[in-house]
Structure formats: C-alpha cells, structure tokens
Amino acid sequence: MAPAISISLNDSTDLTDFVINQGHGVKGLSEMGIKALPEQYIQPLQERVMTKIEPRESIPVIDMSKWDDPQVANSICDAAEKWGFFQVVNHGVPQEVLDNVKKATYGFFGLPAEEKRKYSKENSPSNNVRFGTSFTPQVEKALEWKDYLSLDEILAYMKSSKVLINHLLQVLMKRLNVNEIDETKQSLLTGSVRTNINYYPICPNPELTVGVGRHSDVSTLTVLLQDSVGGLYVRVNEGEDSWIHVPPIDGAIVINIGDALQIMSNGRYRSVEHRVTANGSSNRISVPIFVNPRPQDMIGPLPETLANGEKPIYKQVLYSDYVKHFFRKAHDGKDTVDFAKIT
C-alpha cells in the first residue's frame, strides 16, 4: 500500500526525512508511484553504465553432492583463483530454510514505516540489528536504490550454512598449505558473522541509478541467497569494464571471496568487484551472510602462503580499521584493498 503522505521530491531535506528519518526507505518512494527518479538517486554516467556485458561466459556452478571428491575441491579453488565468485548446488542447506528466509525478508519490508523505523541506527535497541537505506548516505554523492536490514544472524539459515562454510574454507585453506584449521585460524576466518536482508524496490528509471554500486566485500567469504529476479553482475577482469551476470538458479547459493581472504591468501584468491542493477518491473531481494574475522584480529598473508619464499603483497592490518576505512566512503570498486597493500 502506498504511503498516505505527500512529499516534495525536489526538496532534498523533505525527501531525506521521508526516506531515512521516517523509515519509508526507497520502498516508500517506489510505492508512491513516482514517474521519475529523484535527483539524489541519479548516479554519474560512469557508475551506472556497463560498457560490455559478456553474453556467453558464466561463473562456475559447482555440484557439492560429492564433497570428498578431489575434483570438487579443485573446482572450488580454481573458481576462487580465477573468478572470485561461484555458485553451489546440492550444498546441504534445505530448500525449506531458503524459502523461509525469503518469506521473512518480504515480511519485514512489508511492515509499516513506523515499525521499521524502530530498527534504524538511532532507534534500534541493539547495534546488531539495524534498518537502513543505500550504503552510507552521509558520504554518498548519489544514493543507491536499496533498503536493508542488517542482522548478526538469521538463526536457521546461519546454522544450516555453517557446515557448507566450514567445508569451503577447509578446501580453500588446503591449497594454501594450511592442512588443519585449528581454533585460532577458525576464529580468524569465521570469528564474526553478519547477515543483511536487502530489498530493491521497482525503480521508475533503473537506467539512471544502481541497486548497489561497484565494490568488493570486506569479508572472508560471502554466502548469498538471491531470488529469481537477477541483477547481480561481476567484473570479468580488473581494469576492464566487462561484466558477467550471475543468473539466478533455483536452490543455488552464490559464494564469493572477500578482501580478507584475498589478503590472507597473499592475492592467490580474488575478491572481485560486483554490483547490482535497479529493476523497472520487479522488486528484488537478496540475503548475504558475511563471514568475517573478528574486529580485533590482525589480518595479513598467512605464514603458510609465504613458506616457499613468496614475498608478502599485503601488510598486517587491524580488521576493524580495514572495515572502518570501507564504510568511511561511498562504494568505489576495489580501492579498499589498497589500504592493506605494501607500498
């Protein structure tokens, strides 16, 4: 139902109050039936246009039904090295759990604005549950067409995904000559977990904006559930404006390497720029689980990756400092990882 309120879309203060302070989000704008995108959401041309979309190539889809098969392990590591992204099927997370997460997402974003506003940064009873819009509105020159709820965990989804996450990390670590993930390394790789539920409403001018701008994740791994709408794109090669769509596959989960694992692998595994387009005909949801080091952890190349005399590309950095650097600015591609580079 459209919000029973009128606002001036030409008044930035009025729009900000409606979207952010009152808790309507961009979903509220979309449901008003606006015919033109407000100026605050119009992205610079270079941010909204993808020069080349590859029609044939696709990120790997890996069948996890035979977890102990060496070929499956090789496929995972090869994908992490070449693409930084892959999809997994027969992964062990029940379809019912995935369906329930999607229902819960639509349920939350279907709440009245006054209910969602209770979980805004200013009002939420917990720092671990936060409703917001765009990425970091205070520092963005143009806003992203997205609302979100940030959570520490969605219990059933997280619990069901834990076995998958641990298996992926065991495989990835083995190629880095880490033959056993002890308690210390487990904590370093997976010590902090956050979940977002993202809502991308129908947009009146999707060609003028983005759902999420170009970025790589700061995580160790990101485990993403997307719906059937599509719109997630991955950059093919760093430095080239060539992109691949990540097609929705029923029951599949998208896995991507984060900056923290790129740093810990000394660049062997790749975190890759990705983005989400806005959609003019359908609402879209996605639910990523971000598996991270703890804020107090120092991240840098693992000793095992340097055992053969390989020179470190990255220095040791405090993970909380790295994350603060990421949220201090608008989405800007892969620039965050330079924070940890040895110069």
Side-chain angles (χ1 to χ4, degrees):
M1 181 181 292
I5 188 170
S6 62
I7 64 168
S8 171
L9 298 179
N10 297 319
D11 185 330
S12 61
T13 302
D14 204 11
L15 186 139
T16 298
D17 182 63
F18 176 81
V19 171
I20 299 175
N21 300 336
Q22 294 182 34
H24 291 283
V26 290
K27 182 176 185 285
L29 289 179
S30 177
E31 291 178 343
M32 289 175 65
I34 58 174
K35 302 300 182 186
L37 193 71
E39 184 179 348
Q40 291 91 329
Y41 291 92
I42 298 177
Q43 295 282 336
L45 185 63
Q46 68 271 19
E47 293 300 327
R48 64 182 192 249
V49 173
M50 289 180 279
T51 305
K52 186 179 181 184
I53 297 176
E54 298 289 349
R56 297 180 197 84
E57 286 192 279
S58 178
I59 67 167
V61 179
I62 300 173
D63 186 341
M64 300 285 289
S65 56
K66 297 180 180 178
W67 283 14
D68 296 328
D69 186 337
Q71 186 54 51
V72 173
N74 286 332
S75 297
I76 291 168
C77 295
D78 290 347
E81 289 183 3
K82 180 182 178 182
W83 294 96
F85 264 80
F86 53 96
Q87 299 201 64
V88 292
V89 294
N90 297 319
H91 41 64
V93 181
Q95 185 66 45
E96 182 183 9
V97 170
L98 302 182
D99 291 341
N100 286 342
V101 170
K102 293 177 185 178
K103 288 177 186 175
T105 299
Y106 277 112
F108 174 81
F109 287 105
L111 292 173
E114 57 269 22
E115 289 299 313
K116 290 185 288 190
R117 191 159 56 90
K118 292 177 181 178
Y119 300 98
S120 67
K121 183 179 179 181
E122 295 75 20
N123 300 324
S124 178
S126 169
N127 189 46
N128 297 325
V129 181
R130 191 171 69 253
F131 169 65
T133 188
S134 192
F135 176 59
T136 309
Q138 298 81 4
V139 299
E140 293 170 291
K141 293 180 180 177
L143 299 174
E144 298 173 350
W145 192 259
K146 178 195 78 170
D147 297 329
Y148 68 88
L149 179 69
S150 177
L151 298 170
D152 263 357
E153 53 187 352
I154 298 176
L155 290 176
Y157 180 34
M158 187 59 231
K159 185 178 180 181
S160 298
S161 301
K162 190 172 182 180
V163 174
L164 169 64
I165 291 165
N166 286 338
H167 183 78
L168 290 171
L169 286 171
Q170 286 168 6
V171 167
L172 291 166
M173 288 296 105
K174 198 163 186 180
R175 186 170 282 193
L176 299 179
N177 299 317
V178 179
N179 293 317
E180 181 186 355
I181 300 179
D182 59 19
E183 189 175 333
T184 301
K185 277 202 171 61
Q186 185 74 43
S187 180
L188 176 65
L189 293 167
T190 68
S192 171
V193 178
R194 292 195 71 88
T195 304
N196 272 15
I197 57 177
N198 299 324
Y199 188 91
Y200 305 89
I202 294 171
C203 180
N205 302 110
E207 73 282 359
L208 296 180
T209 191
V210 296
V212 176
R214 302 175 298 110
H215 71 288
S216 58
D217 295 343
V218 296
S219 58
T220 302
L221 288 179
T222 300
V223 177
L224 174 74
L225 173 64
Q226 61 172 343
D227 65 11
S228 61
V229 174
L232 172 62
Y233 287 83
V234 175
R235 188 185 286 278
V236 180
N237 292 306
E238 208 166 320
E240 296 180 13
D241 195 24
S242 184
W243 299 81
I244 293 175
H245 185 231
V246 181
I249 298 174
D250 189 38
I253 292 176
V254 180
I255 308 293
N256 67 273
I257 305 301
D259 290 354
L261 188 52
Q262 174 171 318
I263 291 166
M264 286 188 272
S265 70
N266 203 36
R268 184 159 188 174
Y269 298 139
R270 299 175 60 211
S271 67
V272 176
E273 266 186 70
H274 50 286
R275 62 196 300 170
V276 176
T277 57
N279 192 295
S281 58
S282 299
N283 300 315
R284 177 181 184 267
I285 62 169
S286 68
V287 186
I289 296 174
F290 300 105
V291 181
N292 314 300
R294 298 172 304 172
Q296 67 269 32
D297 285 328
M298 298 295 293
I299 61 169
L302 296 172
E304 291 88 345
T305 66
L306 308 176
N308 294 327
E310 185 177 325
K311 290 187 176 180
I313 302 171
Y314 304 102
K315 58 191 175 185
Q316 297 283 330
V317 296
L318 184 65
Y319 187 63
S320 60
D321 287 344
Y322 190 86
V323 173
K324 286 175 187 173
H325 179 69
F326 178 70
F327 283 101
R328 194 174 286 141
K329 52 194 175 50
H331 283 140
D332 57 3
K334 280 271 292 180
D335 288 356
T336 305
V337 80
D338 290 342
F339 183 77
K341 275 190 175 176
I342 294 175
T343 55

